[in-house]
Amino acid sequence: MALLEQWQTVAYDQTQTQATLQEFWNNYFLLEKSIYEQLLDNPEEKVTGTVKELAEKYKIDVMAMTGFLDGINESLVKPNPIETMEEDTEVSLEFDKEKLYKNMIDAKADWLYELPQWDNIFDAETKKALYREGKNLHTVRNTVKVGRNDPCPCGSGRKYKQCCGKKK
């Protein structure tokens, strides 16, 4: 079983109580925050190594490193092969600063995008602009006006005026 599958089995275990899962995620978020603090202290450093080496470097277990790699993957300059990676897979933590900041905002991870290290990377104006972009990452804007007699865009098959366009 690949590391990512193992991580997902543990992290999203529905047989655990809500309290146990909450404790698991709280502990993970503290580890994650610690790694990001170290990465953001020196954002130009190109951190590479095997999954196991990086886990040792950041003093966490391989499963937590797998979760971290899964979380940061979309923000990397070159994504890692997270679906198939094992302990000896070479990975990189070279991240795109703007993309990482926006993805943290999109994930509503305020404990990460409010880290003081960001102040040394972006000025207040840039952070504000990136914050706006991060908030709008998954916002869909409907640019086509739907007519009253057109099919409803929700896919119900009814006319818009008899479905979502109905006045309440």
Side-chain angles (χ1 to χ4, degrees):
M1 184 184 305
L3 287 176
L4 184 63
E5 288 179 60
Q6 292 175 37
W7 162 255
Q8 291 171 338
T9 301
V10 172
Y12 304 106
D13 185 359
Q14 296 302 314
T15 63
Q16 295 292 326
T17 65
Q18 186 67 30
T20 305
L21 279 175
Q22 186 68 41
E23 182 181 343
F24 171 84
W25 282 106
N26 287 340
N27 291 333
Y28 171 76
F29 291 147
L30 290 173
L31 296 172
E32 178 186 47
K33 182 179 176 182
S34 170
I35 297 171
Y36 276 119
E37 286 170 338
Q38 294 173 61
L39 286 174
L40 295 174
D41 277 337
N42 191 0
E44 301 308 321
E45 179 185 5
K46 291 178 178 32
V47 179
T48 59
T50 65
V51 175
K52 186 174 183 174
E53 290 169 347
L54 292 179
E56 290 169 358
K57 175 180 176 150
Y58 293 107
K59 297 175 180 57
I60 62 174
D61 63 43
V62 171
M63 278 297 104
M65 179 51 69
T66 302
F68 182 82
L69 289 166
D70 183 27
I72 196 173
N73 209 45
E74 283 185 21
S75 304
L76 297 176
V77 173
K78 182 179 175 235
N80 291 313
I82 59 168
E83 299 289 332
T84 58
M85 72 183 176
E86 297 295 339
E87 286 187 15
D88 60 346
T89 304
E90 281 286 327
V91 292
S92 169
L93 294 180
E94 183 183 356
F95 57 93
D96 178 314
K97 293 181 277 297
E98 290 185 2
K99 193 186 285 188
L100 179 62
Y101 190 77
K102 289 189 283 190
N103 285 340
M104 287 175 171
I105 291 164
D106 185 46
K108 297 175 178 61
D110 55 345
W111 65 95
L112 298 176
Y113 68 78
E114 291 178 352
L115 286 170
Q117 287 84 345
W118 285 112
D119 295 337
N120 299 327
I121 298 171
F122 299 124
D123 59 38
E125 192 71 26
T126 304
K127 281 177 37 179
K128 190 175 183 179
L130 291 172
Y131 184 85
R132 261 185 261 121
E133 286 178 42
K135 282 291 189 190
N136 292 325
L137 274 179
H138 290 99
T139 302
V140 178
R141 303 207 188 282
N142 190 0
T143 56
V144 178
K145 183 162 173 60
V146 180
R148 288 174 33 84
N149 292 312
D150 291 341
C152 190
C154 77
S156 68
R158 296 185 294 175
K159 289 184 178 182
Y160 179 69
K161 69 181 177 184
Q162 295 297 322
C163 191
C164 294
K166 197 174 200 174
K167 292 184 181 178
K168 298 186 184 199

